[in-house]
Amino acid sequence: MTWTVALNDVREDQGPRVGGKAVALARLYRAGVSVPPGLCITTQAYHHFLDATGLRDRILMELSRKAFERMRWEEMWDAALRIRNMFLTAPMPRDLEEELGSALDRAFPVQQTVVRSSAPGEDSAQASFAGLHESWINVVGRADLLAAIRKVWSSLFSDAALLYQNELDLDATSSGMAVLVQELVSGLSSGVVFTKSPEDESAMVVEAVHGLNEGLVDGAVEPDRWILNRETKEVLSSFAPNREGLVLPAENGTVRQALAGNRHKSPPLDSGQLNEVVKAAGLVERIFGPPQDVEWTIHDQKLYILQSRPITTIHERDGDDGKGWYLSLRRSLNNLISLRERIEREILPEMNEQAEILGQQDLALLSHRELAKEIQRRHEVHKHWIGVYWEECIPFAHGARLFGQVYNDAVKPSDPFEFIQLLGSDSMLSLERNSGIQALAERARDNPALMEALEKGDPSEEDRVFGQLLEDFLDRYGELFCNQASCTRGRSDVLALVAKLALHPSLGRQSARDSAAGLEANFFEAMGPHRRAEAEEILDLARASYRLRDDDNIYLGRIEAEILKAAEEGMRRLGRDEIRCDIVEPLTVAAALQDPEARIQCREEVVRSQSSGEPATRPRQLPGQPAGPGVVQGRARVVSSVDDLRSLEPEEILVCDAVDPKMTAIVVLASGIVERRGGMLIHGAIIAREYGLPCVTGVHEALEAIRTGDVITVDGYMGTVTLGREEQSPRPEDAGSFS
């Protein structure tokens, strides 16, 4: 079978075989438009790879792990990473490797290439879905080309593609992916043209950058921009950014460099080149009919069209279920570096300062009216920082995800989440806090009199050193134990936890990271000496991303604690002892301070029904996502309120909606974790791995199916929770794989 087709041989009816992008470029080629030469890897090659390796069934099994509509965005990323690793590690069938390799050698013996997706239906008038699938720039040689083709195949099941699975009609049993390999045209300037402006139907837009288009597409380089009249082609307005850099081919891949000499003073296009680009874009639109999004580059004074698609982009669907917001979380390395600097130097220090300022205020001196206004003000302060958290802190979590993909592409580990072992950090605030609790427990462990004093709640008189350590700990971390029932710096909760840990010295110990150094060395070796600096940079960024994924919530929790303190002061004045809330809604307390007849409400939480009746049937096994390796069997403690959390006993399995920063101090008592929310990089999963606890996330029915006291088995390798006792047999040494 022939699994390749030269681009200039592609015909209109071959879309199902070579994909929409290849058909469009072939049509331009036949119309006389300059298009870089290319070779199409057909969908039949993709299907042969899946069938010969058994990947089709494995992908189907992965996507059947749980109902798609119940998957969180984090779970989609986890599933996509596992599927990508399948493509990277499955052996290439010999017949396919030989035919593709020979064809690539003939077409591109020494040339630099671009490897692009060309899925059937992609870049069509019905659905362009720009950016959902991958492209690889500056790929040279048979081995690297075959690896890039695998990556493009795997992007059919990227998290972005999974998010749009209904629109894409994504089906593991029938969906296909073609790949287009083209000679790389290293343009002096590059850009895009929207032949009809998304904002003004009477205008067209030209954007251009120096160097390769990658800088524009990934946001690393801000483009010059011209707005023109669609009919007359008159320039209506132009925008010149601070031209600082450009993207160029490197030894392998691309590199961003500063503009040399006075090049930053000149736009990427002069007036003659602008007219040529506009004219070419107009021709492309006339060839296809509807308005086009045209990508172009200029090399040796010759204009090339790199691709063209109708302006029916993914952005038109951004209003559906927050998909556009989720896709915006994907950031380039340069963007993440800038984001890290802002978070570390500005956002977190300002959060901390805000919490300290609020904490210094004496609420008792305020009148009822002043206290009500203060609660409202604190609510607005907290709301502001929540906005900052969503806009800047959450996107920075992509740093760990980006590293995971780079690590897996280079190392090709059997465990697609092996990279996480390189990201742990003792400097995480939650771990520093838990180490402080451990220090208190160790001092109390061998002192019977102090243990007795702990139970009475007044250990300071028995051991003044312990008392000082306790006060220092509460000064730093006490507000993180704050809840509506008691916001007095959590003394009783801390002492109860210290007593439990003192009686169980094996609990709360962080897992060893002895293998991290070896994994780091393997990663650097796999990246190669020419990419060592890049490898070090992205690893350092990922460690910061991983650490701050937990720390930013703790800083935000400190600000929230100050709202709760003000609400507690209001409750004390109102004497509303009949209100039984774990956390009241602070604004309703503010309203009651001004109107005693106003009703105080409890804050709504996602909790399971606490009805005493057993459901008619309960599933034997609950599917989820593997998030912390290991298997443990024990009694469940379902936590749906602060009171439930205080009742967690040593070596019980914590079952909850999600572990938040206030809960991580208690997690050290648990022998395993089950969360309704899913994802390898949510807080509960991070803490579970730091303490070596088996963890399964994304268990949709966890709070309905599991009862406190149930014996359950948590399998962090397979991502399952089994209800009832079962015999545990030793697992093989290679069972650590999540694949």
Side-chain angles (χ1 to χ4, degrees), residues 25-42:
L25 287 174
R27 184 173 178 181
L28 292 177
Y29 171 82
R30 290 194 301 274
V33 176
S34 295
V35 174
L39 181 71
C40 303
I41 314 299
T42 68

Side-chain angles (χ1 to χ4, degrees), residues 3-4 45 48-49 90-105 142-143 146-147 149-150 153:
W3 287 309
T4 61
H48 181 66
F49 179 78
M92 178 75 81
R94 183 179 297 274
D95 56 347
L96 185 60
E97 181 175 8
E98 283 303 315
E99 178 166 332
L100 294 186
S102 297
L104 291 166
D105 289 345
R142 175 187 287 203
L146 290 175
I149 289 168
R150 288 171 180 256
W153 281 342

